[in-house]
Amino acid sequence: MKFYKIAALSAVFATQFAFAQYTQTPLAYAYNALEGNIDAKTMEIHYTKHAAGYATNLNKAIAGTPQEKETLLKILSEVSTLSPAVRNNAGGHFNHELFWTMLTPEKNTKPSPKLLKAITESFGTVDALKEKISKAGADRFGSGWAWLSVGKDGKLFVSSTPNQDNPLMDVVEEKGTPILGIDVWEHAYYLKYQNKRADYLTAIWNVLNWKEVSKRYENAISKK
Ligand code: MN3
């Protein structure tokens, strides 16, 4: 009898673990590592509550659907055909996993020579690019994101999307591979900056991880 019980239990576990279960990547720095620019309480609530919720709710939203067996990139590319719950939570999970890597306590990281060349060609200077991204974030009405992406033509472009949409989604007008993303939901800044989103968008450049953006850029253009 015991053997059958174990066999039955194993079957249950095998079913449970056969499908993708989205989980959060641990933060590479402490919640208070960005203090002065992004406060510890905001980081903690943002990571452990808001972002955790997207992962959990994505798992729930795709449970028992064909999307359980698809990659996150595939899901994002077909959200127009899926439920709002999948769109919001797949976007939310992808966007936040990217966002944590955009930030670093390391001072003065710089774009790599290749990325710097591309930035210079498209925007003139790094400061001009920062200004354009900050403006995209500041102009986003309500909640959303500001992005720097690599388009199909291999060129950089700045855009903004509402809610948890992103440039990988088929519903978005300006499609591309995002290499830099800034969360402009109030939950990303309200405790420290209250209604002053522009101040948050100025401070975030002090903790921006240009090494990571450069890595993502070089990865994106290598696939063109
Ligand atoms: Mn957020």
Side-chain angles (χ1 to χ4, degrees):
M1 282 306 280
K2 267 186 182 165
F3 170 78
Y4 291 110
K5 271 187 186 166
I6 290 165
L9 274 175
S10 303
V12 168
F13 282 119
T15 311
Q16 273 187 348
F17 292 115
F19 299 116
Q21 287 287 309
Y22 292 100
T23 55
Q24 291 181 279
T25 306
L27 274 188
Y29 41 82
Y31 297 130
N32 66 0
L34 313 173
E35 272 290 355
N37 295 292
I38 303 178
D39 62 288
K41 197 74 192 161
T42 295
M43 287 302 296
E44 184 178 354
I45 297 172
H46 198 177
Y47 181 85
T48 64
K49 307 290 182 200
H50 294 280
Y54 296 119
T56 306
N57 292 325
L58 173 58
N59 290 330
K60 281 186 198 159
I62 61 172
T65 75
Q67 281 64 52
E68 244 178 350
K69 292 177 185 168
E70 293 178 353
T71 64
L72 188 51
L73 290 182
K74 174 82 165 57
I75 293 173
L76 294 173
S77 73
E78 62 187 16
V79 287
S80 66
T81 66
L82 304 172
S83 70
V86 175
R87 175 174 172 172
N88 291 334
N89 292 298
H93 182 62
F94 178 91
N95 296 350
H96 286 85
E97 286 287 295
L98 179 139
F99 183 63
W100 311 126
T101 71
M102 294 291 107
L103 306 173
T104 178
E106 194 182 336
K107 299 282 174 226
N108 301 314
T109 63
K110 296 266 188 291
S112 68
K114 273 186 193 168
L115 176 58
L116 184 61
K117 187 167 174 279
I119 290 173
T120 308
E121 278 170 15
S122 295
F123 308 102
T125 62
V126 175
D127 281 345
L129 168 64
K130 287 180 185 173
E131 207 172 298
K132 194 162 184 183
I133 296 172
S134 292
K135 188 175 185 318
D139 289 350
R140 164 56 48 200
F141 183 77
S143 300
W145 291 75
W147 303 102
L148 175 66
S149 306
V150 178
K152 280 214 172 76
D153 57 2
K155 295 231 182 328
L156 294 172
F157 68 93
V158 171
S159 68
S160 167
T161 54
N163 304 316
Q164 294 297 353
D165 287 356
N166 68 44
L168 292 163
M169 291 183 174
D170 61 348
V171 290
V172 167
E173 214 168 289
E174 296 168 279
K175 293 182 194 62
T177 304
I179 60 168
L180 191 168
I182 298 179
D183 190 342
V184 298
W185 283 57
E186 281 187 345
H187 67 226
Y189 62 85
Y190 202 83
L191 293 181
K192 182 176 172 67
Y193 295 98
Q194 289 85 48
N195 60 319
K196 297 185 276 290
R197 185 190 286 182
D199 290 358
Y200 158 72
L201 285 167
T202 301
I204 204 162
W205 299 112
N206 298 329
V207 288
L208 209 283
N209 189 349
W210 285 106
K211 278 187 194 168
E212 177 68 23
V213 179
S214 303
K215 196 176 88 186
R216 288 177 184 267
Y217 172 70
E218 282 163 36
N219 194 24
I221 53 165
S222 74
K223 289 174 183 159
K224 296 288 162 200

